[in-house]
Structure formats: structure tokens, C-alpha cells
Amino acid sequence: MDFLTSILTITIRAGTSLTIATIGEILTERSGILNLGVEGIMLMGALSAFTAVFYSHSIAIGLLVAIGVGGLLALLHAFLTTTMRANQVVSGLSITLFGTGFSSFLGQRLGPVANNFRLVGLRAERIVPLAPEWVKQIPIISAFFNQDIITYLVYILLPLAWFFLYKTRPGLWLRSVGEDPQTADAMGIDVTKTRYLYTILGGMMIALGGAHLSLSYTPGWSENITGGRGWIVIALVIFSMWNPARAVWGALLFGGINAVQFRLQASGTSIPANFLNMMPYIGTIIVLVVMTWWEALSKKVGAPAALGTSYMREDK
Amino acid sequence: MSETVIPKVEMRGISKSFPGVLANDCVDLMLHRSEVLALLGENGAGKSTLMNVLCGLYRPDKGEIYINGSYADIHSPRDAQKYGIGMVHQNFKLVDSMSVLENIILGLKDEPFIPDFKRVRQRLVDLAAQYHLKVDPNANIWQLSVGEQQRVEILKLLYRNAEILILDEPTAVLTPQESHELSRVVHAMKQEGKSAVFITHKMEEVMEFSDRVMVLRKGKVVAEARTADTTPKELARMMVGREVLFQIEKKPFCPGEVVLELSNIDALGDRGLLALNNVSFQLRAGEILGIAGVAGNGQRELAEVVTGLRRSTKGALRIGNKDMTNKSPLEIIRQGVAHIPQDRSSVGAVGDLSVASNLAMKQYRSRPLAAGIFLLPKRIVDLARALIEKFHIATPSPQTQVKFLSGGNVQKTILAREIGAARTVMVAVYPSRGLDVGATETVRRQLINQRDGGLGVLFFSEDLDELLQVSDRIAVLFEGRIMGIFDADKADIEQIGMLMAGMSKEATA
Ligand SMILES: Nc1ncnc2c1ncn2[C@@H]1O[C@H](COP(=O)(O)OP(=O)(O)OP(=O)(O)O)[C@@H](O)[C@H]1O
Ligand SMILES: [Mg+2]
């Protein structure tokens, strides 16, 4: 494999968990619910997927468990913010705090006796790239196909989510709920149901992003395996202007810097490793700020107007 | 009596209370086929509440609704839609960032998963042509004028084939021409057997639109009559519970020095087009200068330039004897300029704050409401109580959040605050819009009091009769230009009307 192809392969692999979680968070925020629990849900997704695969030896079960855990945590967020009308920021941050702490706690309890009940250092089945051997020989092109099933899922989800949001009736409803719940309600759209639905769906996709980390990108469990990717997702949602079609660029940017940085470390440069590890985050944030600022000046697009607010019918 | 006519809608014994207010108290309402019922009442009488119950947004505490004689279980707007009920709300229910077409589709329940945009657009265009409601299906709502937005609201109901239309103060925001257009649409719909409930504060419209009237006061039905059997004066009395004076006493005109002067002002509108074109005039102390014109001809931009909310691109603005060109709103407030804005929901009041806080908002920097950096809550509430009483603001308490007030009472809150804050110039943009007859009278009188007290008043209105009655001089604004300035007592209505439509004297001669 030539250098470019390998960089591109790693870029896409690194971008996968971010993209799928970003699409999930976009759907959630489009309904007007801000879920700052992304980091926590990704961690819980990564942990539960790895644990399930370790004991069941089945990738499918691992993915299903992650989806279930993500859905449950998001359900909690939906319940607190929609039904109980708790502050969305507070509820989301609580879920992140909980997910961070609880995943680290479980990581020291769920392992086998032989490993002192710890999950760290264990190996389990991984999700492997799907492409047949002959495809892997084609330069550049192979980078796109030499990927695992979740990446393939992202390929499908990206255009699908865009199409859903802008061209279908339920997508239109979803957007109206996030823009103007009063109007959506008066039009006969069930605001509460919509918000529950897309918060849960978003949580499932976010957890799947986490599962991709522990089953494919950096196989195995380690504390804080996400390394703050949950927060990058929140930033990417803003960068994408809540449009799934744009989410991919930010994710690839982060993935790309990551890949280059890996390469540099592997080649043994004199640049300190900690500095290199920081690069993807710094780079992404700088580009995000510049791009978003530039966009916001040039067009009248922005956050869903009702993002972060709760809605009750008889309450103005 | 062999057969009784079954009413299309019957509401029986509807009661609805909110914390601190009984908004509807055992109200009965009947609406027949091909009938337009005018629903009248003071601000806060409970008109919008009653209609929100009918369209499924509010659940009544008590009472039942019958449609075509059978019990209708309406729990949500969706249920109401099934019974053919559609409402144009006092605050439009449109998603600003979406296109007209998308807003129409939003309300259609039986569109397929992937809506047939082409077909919907075609039917929309047809309907628009049939009812003469011209609108661009691809425009985004935020780009449309209020009048156009209302057309979209009505098209939404027509598209769904609503049989029962509820129009909540549809003309409050319309120009006279647009109101006429609406009256034509309502008549056409009546011909097709549709029925409508029409809420308005304008007596001429009651006479023009409706077959029957029903008057609410403090949540109760106080009168019902056939429109033909009553007069505007009688209706006004029934609404307010006292005689309403349609004439107001005014001291003779004796202007003082110039308090506001615009010289050759240009300014851009929201869409970047020239909205004010070389505007010059002077306003003197003790004078009311009326600005006549069809809405959307630069009124909002003019008011915003004067109050510092919009930059002018050319020309000079002087207040008192200071140059105030493109100064901040705060600096202009410090010169004693007060502003009753056109868009009272987004600029005028903070919905989440209490009535008292909103009333204090312009005076909180100084004594007697503050000592140093500390606010004095008791003084604020005292001030609020006084203003609530003086302006008859219907609110459960000074602490109630403004968003819970009825549309007209939000308006009165802003008015009370601004009138209290004015020291040199008062800019009043459509101050009586959406107000009931009693409140309108109060507003006009207050404006005249301000003038008699030595203020310069810049008074925007679309109602020529009101302008002639209140103003000392009248300037006509058309496409951002001043077409002429006249003395009110010598003004010729015909000529002003022509200028409002952009026809100059030479052209008409
Ligand atoms: N959602 C709500 N929460 C609390 N109070 C409310 C709510 N809606 C209306 N009210 C109160 O109920 C009363 C009736 O309000 P409503 O909006 O029906 O008046 P209205 O007759 O439509 O007045 P206007 O002519 O000013 O629009 C008012 O005192 C108002 O403050
Ligand atoms: Mg109302």
C-alpha cells in the first residue's frame, strides 16, 4: 500500500465513529434537544459493545447491546428534558459525567477473574474490513472499500440522513419541531413524540460511534477510550450547520490530522508525542472556528431556532 | 317547528382558567353553515382562548363541543383538523426558515412519505389564483411581508379544505388594501358553504364581514346580535361597558423649537435594498407629526433610524440641538426619545420577565427605581401598579410574566413604559394596532397629552381617520420617500390617498 492510500484509509477509519455520532447528534438537535451527553454515551457504547463481544464472541450482539445502552441513556435525557422539563445543558452534562465515571467503574468490575475483573488489556473479536483481496490492491480507491461494516453504514447513512431531513415528510416535521414547536404543534405534529424519537435514535447512533472505537479503531477497552471525541462531535454539529451532508468534512478533517499524526509518531520524529496527540483537536477547533465564522457571516443559516428550549402546549 | 337547523359548530358551557385568571366562563357559541360570526371583546376578554379551545390547542376545564350536531372529542390540533377546523392565529404559525411550500406541506397529513412537491406547488398556485392570493411558493417565510405571511396562513387552510375557519385579528397587521382583499376571500368562502369566526377590534370590519356578532367581556358572553340589528357605537359600548368617545379634545396647536430634524437620510432595509430615500423633515415640541403610508414603505426603517436601531447610510439626524447620526440606542434614549415599536413581540417586551420589570426597563438606571447599582424592587412594583391602573393593563399581578398576557395587553405594557420614559421625542409606530376601542381611545388621548405637555410626537398609522384626528401635520411616505407634508386641518383625504399609492398631483391632474 502506498503512503497516500494508507493515510486515506486511516483517515476514513478514524472519521467513522465521529461521523456516525455527528449524524445522530444532528438528528437530535434538529428536534430542538441539545444532548451534551455525547461523550458519556460514546464511552458507555464502547464499553458495553466490547464487554458483550468479549463474552458472547458475537459482533452483532456487541453492536446491539451498544445500541440498546445508547438508546436507554438518550431516553433518560429525553425524559428529563421533555417530560420533566429539566435544563437540557444540565441533563446532558450529567449524562456525560455519569457515562465517564460509570464506564471507568465498570471497566474494573466486568472483566474475568483471571484478569482481576478488569477489562483493560483483554482482546476480543474485532470488526474486520469487508473488502475482498483484489480490491485492496487498487491504490486510493481501496481506501474507501477497505473498511468495516460500520463505515459502510456511514456511507449509506450520510446521503440518507440528508435526503430524509430535506425531502421527506417526517424530515420536514422533524425540522419544524426544532425550529418552532408552537407552530409544529398547531399543525398537528406531536412535538413530544418527535423529540423522544429523535433523541433516542441519536443516542443509538452516538453509542454505535463509541462501539466502533472499541471494536475496530482502537480495539479493546481503555479508560476514556474516546479521548474527548464526544466534544469534537458537538463542535462538528455546529460546523456542519446541522446538515448531515456537511458533517463528513469535519469528521474527515479530524480523522486526517489524526492519521498524519500517527504516521509522524511511527516514523519517530523528535516532536514530543503529547504535542502530536494534541494536534487533531487543535487543528479541528481552529478550522471549525474559522469556517463557522465565515459561514455565519455569509448566509442566514444557523442552529434550529428552538434548540435547547422546552415546550408545553398551554404555556407560552 | 318541523325541522331545526343543526349548527355547524356548537360550543356549550366552555370554561377555561389560567393561574390567576378565568379566561372563559361558561361560554356558549354557535356557528351556522355559510355564516361569519364576529367575536368581539376588550383585550384580554378571552377571545383567543376560546378559539384555541375550538382548534384543540387548549383543553377546556369544562364544556363540550359539537360539530354538525354530534359530540366532538377534540384533544389536539390534529383532532380539530379532522373536523375541518382551521385557525389563523394572532401570532402566525409559520416556520420562518422554511419555504411557503414546505409550510403548506407541514400541515398535510395524507401526503406520502416523500411528498409530491410538484403537485402541491401546482395546487397551491391554482388556489392562489382562484382566491387572488398571490405568493411565491419558493420564498422563505422570513422574506415575506406580514401581509404575504397572512396569505400563506389562509392558503394553508384553503389547501386543507377547512370548513370552519377561525381568523384571530387577521386585519390587525394588514394594510387597508389587504383587508379588502381578505374580505373578498371571506365572501368567496362563504359562497362555498364554509363558515368563519372572525375576531377583530375594528367596527367597520364587523359591519363589513359578519352576519352575527358575539361580545365577550371578562370571559363571559355579554351580548349577541345580528349584525344588521346593531351599530358600531352600540357594539363599542357593549364591549367596554361604557360610552366610547370617538372624538378627542385637543388644545390649539402652538409648536415650540425643533426637537427632531432629519436631513437627507438614506437607509437600507433588511434585504439590503434602499428603504429610506433622501428623507428630510422637522418635528417641533408640542407637535404631532403623523406619518401616513401603506405599511412596508419605510415606516419601520424610519422609526429605527430615529431610535438608533438602524444605521443611516447618508444624511444627518439631530435630536434637540445635538448631532445624533448613527448613535447607539442608549445614547438616543438618554436624549429622552421613547419608542413604541411595530413588532411588539420581539423588540418591545421581554416575555420571560414580569410586567413590573418590563415597565421599569427604561428607568431602572436611575433613581427612584435604583440606588447605585441596586434596584429597589418595592419602588418598581409601586410604579408598575400605578401604570397598570392608569393604562388598564389586564394582568393577574405585576409579577406575572409578560408572555402570559393577551396580545393587546402586551401592547399596553409597552405603551405605558414608553410614555413614561419620553422627555423630548416620542416615536409611536402603529400604537393602536390590536387594541380594543377603549384602549385605542386611551392611546390617542395619551399621545395628545404628551404633545400638550411639550413633546414632539412622531406618529405612524395606516388609519387615515385616526391620523387626521390626532396629528397636527401629516407626512406621506411612499417607497421610502416623503411625498409631501400637510397641515392636518387643511389636508385633503383624496390627495393623501393618492400620494400613499405613489401618484403625485401632476400625474392625477
Ligand atoms: N397560556 C396562558 N397562560 C396564562 N394566561 C393566559 C394564557 N393565555 C391567555 N391567558 C390569559 O387569559 C386572558 C384572556 O386572554 P386572551 O388571549 O384569550 O385574550 P383576547 O381576548 O384574545 O385579547 P386580545 O384582544 O388582547 O388578543 C388574559 O388575561 C391572558 O392573560
Ligand atoms: Mg387575542
Side-chain angles (χ1 to χ4, degrees), chain B residues 181-231:
Chain B
E181 217 172 79
L182 181 66
S183 124
R184 252 201 2 255
V185 175
V186 171
H187 276 293
M189 294 191 297
K190 231 168 81 172
Q191 300 293 304
E192 294 163 18
K194 300 183 185 205
S195 321
V197 180
F198 189 90
I199 302 179
T200 182
H201 291 295
K202 298 180 188 165
M203 294 307 144
E204 322 86 72
E205 287 175 5
V206 176
M207 296 295 154
E208 182 181 343
F209 282 82
S210 72
D211 305 302
R212 222 152 42 83
V213 282
M214 181 168 131
V215 183
L216 283 183
R217 189 155 81 225
K218 303 213 163 85
K220 285 201 188 67
V221 181
V222 291
E224 260 189 283
R226 298 227 335 258
T227 309
D229 299 342
T230 107
T231 63

Side-chain angles (χ1 to χ4, degrees), chain A residues 169 175 187 313-314 316, chain B residues 16 57 59 102 111:
Chain A
R169 197 194 44 185
R175 282 190 290 141
M187 302 301 354
R313 185 174 284 164
E314 298 201 3
K316 293 191 194 171
Chain B
K16 173 77 190 171
L57 267 180
R59 289 287 296 154
E102 286 177 317
E111 273 303 298

Side-chain angles (χ1 to χ4, degrees), chain A residues 314 316, chain B residues 18 21 23 42-49 58 90 169 201 404-409:
Chain A
E314 298 201 3
K316 293 191 194 171
Chain B
F18 293 108
V21 252
E42 288 180 284
N43 296 126
K47 306 178 295 292
S48 298
T49 304
Y58 289 178
Q90 198 164 0
E169 297 193 32
H201 291 295
F404 292 131
L405 300 191
S406 80
N409 282 298

Side-chain angles (χ1 to χ4, degrees), chain A residues 127-133 136 145-150 152-153:
Chain A
I127 321 181
V128 285
L130 293 173
E133 230 11 81
K136 290 186 189 164
F145 293 98
N146 188 15
Q147 301 288 353
D148 61 53
I149 181 141
I150 298 188
Y152 277 81
L153 183 67

Side-chain angles (χ1 to χ4, degrees), chain A residues 94-173:
Chain A
S94 312
I95 286 175
T96 286
L97 285 178
F98 167 79
T100 313
F102 198 56
S103 63
S104 133
F105 170 79
L106 289 180
Q108 298 164 13
R109 295 291 186 288
L110 290 181
V113 191
N115 199 34
N116 235 334
F117 299 105
R118 287 149 53 87
L119 289 176
V120 182
L122 297 176
R123 286 168 150 273
E125 285 77 359
R126 307 171 175 191
I127 321 181
V128 285
L130 293 173
E133 230 11 81
W134 63 270
V135 172
K136 290 186 189 164
Q137 306 310 321
I138 315 172
I140 308 288
I141 304 290
S142 72
F144 293 93
F145 293 98
N146 188 15
Q147 301 288 353
D148 61 53
I149 181 141
I150 298 188
T151 309
Y152 277 81
L153 183 67
V154 167
Y155 293 159
I156 300 171
L157 273 178
L158 270 173
L160 209 65
W162 176 84
F163 185 82
F164 176 78
L165 215 43
Y166 292 101
K167 298 290 167 199
T168 72
R169 197 194 44 185
L172 193 65
W173 290 358

